[in-house]
Amino acid sequence: MAIHSQMQLSFGVRRTFAGEAHWVTHLLDTPITIMDEPHHEIGIQHYAFDSSLAPAGKTALVVFIRSDYAYWQRIYGRRLYDSEQRQVSGIVLELLDAWHPGIRDDIEFVDEATPLSYERYTGNWQGASCGWLLTKDTLPLMIKGIPKRLPGLEKFYMVGQWTEPGGSVPIVAMSGRNMIQEICHEDYRPFVATTPL
Ligand SMILES: Cc1cc2nc3c(=O)[nH]c(=O)nc-3n(C[C@H](O)[C@H](O)[C@H](O)COP(=O)(O)OP(=O)(O)OC[C@H]3O[C@@H](n4cnc5c(N)ncnc54)[C@H](O)[C@@H]3O)c2cc1C
């Protein structure tokens, strides 16, 4: 099973959030229902740590919400697809405004991405963001490893988020590094790794 499909709501705000934690998870006393699914927490990330990401005095806020791929696929291409996205960002905006009073007036841009947006941009199955979900079936593969060669196809090696359970940038980088080490071994060449400065 791949990582759960999700929606991403991004808000361009005229606030910096400097000095505030990069990622805050709000535990909700009363769960909110989004696309028929109850959500008990909402995590908000801001990007004030990187001034190159927004003009001075501004930043982006990002909220990820687990969301069913099949639902979005069913309504894709219909007006409902757009209105459902706006409804979700509206619900999140209400919450943001409660946690950061007045923020509604400082929001300059709203972008909604659905699992279909992820699929369109990444080509990943059902818009998964990181490859295989870590479950009791996939966890042992972290030790055993997923085959990275194809029988009968010499000098072909696969690395990346679909060959390492869990995916993500660090694991993908490790995947490439480990494969280079194996190739060096096959070629009787020393493997040397350096850390970027
Ligand atoms: C919105 C989003 C947010 C994320 N946030 C994080 C995060 O905060 N931290 C984190 O660690 N991970 C994050 N991830 C996951 C992380 O980005 C991926 O796990 C990682 O980039 C996967 O690397 P990869 O090299 O396996 O695949 P990719 O980065 O998808 O690279 C595959 C490459 O192959 C190319 N390609 C495809 N087909 C062909 C072809 N036929 N011929 C030639 N080239 C081809 C593609 O163009 C692409 O450049 C996020 C993912 C998404 C989608």
Side-chain angles (χ1 to χ4, degrees), residues 118-136:
Y118 276 67
E119 184 184 49
R120 202 166 56 246
Y121 280 96
T122 66
N124 287 346
W125 185 77
Q126 295 205 348
S129 59
C130 282
W132 303 112
L133 186 68
L134 285 178
T135 64
K136 66 176 177 18

Side-chain angles (χ1 to χ4, degrees), residues 6 8 64 118 122 124 128-131 159-162 167-170 172:
Q6 60 186 11
Q8 177 174 339
F64 293 102
Y118 276 67
T122 66
N124 287 346
S129 59
C130 282
V159 295
Q161 63 183 356
W162 297 106
S168 82
V169 171
V172 162

Side-chain angles (χ1 to χ4, degrees), residues 114-160:
T114 73
L116 270 84
S117 321
Y118 276 67
E119 184 184 49
R120 202 166 56 246
Y121 280 96
T122 66
N124 287 346
W125 185 77
Q126 295 205 348
S129 59
C130 282
W132 303 112
L133 186 68
L134 285 178
T135 64
K136 66 176 177 18
D137 296 323
T138 56
L139 213 80
L141 292 173
M142 284 189 97
I143 299 158
K144 226 169 59 183
I146 294 176
K148 298 177 180 61
R149 297 151 211 257
L150 291 178
L153 194 56
E154 264 187 52
K155 309 282 182 199
F156 176 79
Y157 310 96
M158 292 182 288
V159 295

Side-chain angles (χ1 to χ4, degrees), residues 10-57:
S10 307
F11 303 89
V13 288
R14 223 171 15 243
R15 294 189 185 187
T16 65
F17 284 82
E20 293 193 31
H22 157 59
W23 192 335
V24 175
T25 299
H26 294 266
L27 305 177
L28 307 176
D29 293 332
T30 315
I32 50 159
T33 303
I34 298 178
M35 321 306 306
D36 283 341
E37 269 191 73
H39 294 266
H40 298 264
E41 55 181 52
I42 295 286
I44 307 171
Q45 298 177 55
H46 72 71
Y47 290 86
F49 60 82
D50 186 344
S51 59
S52 71
L53 294 177

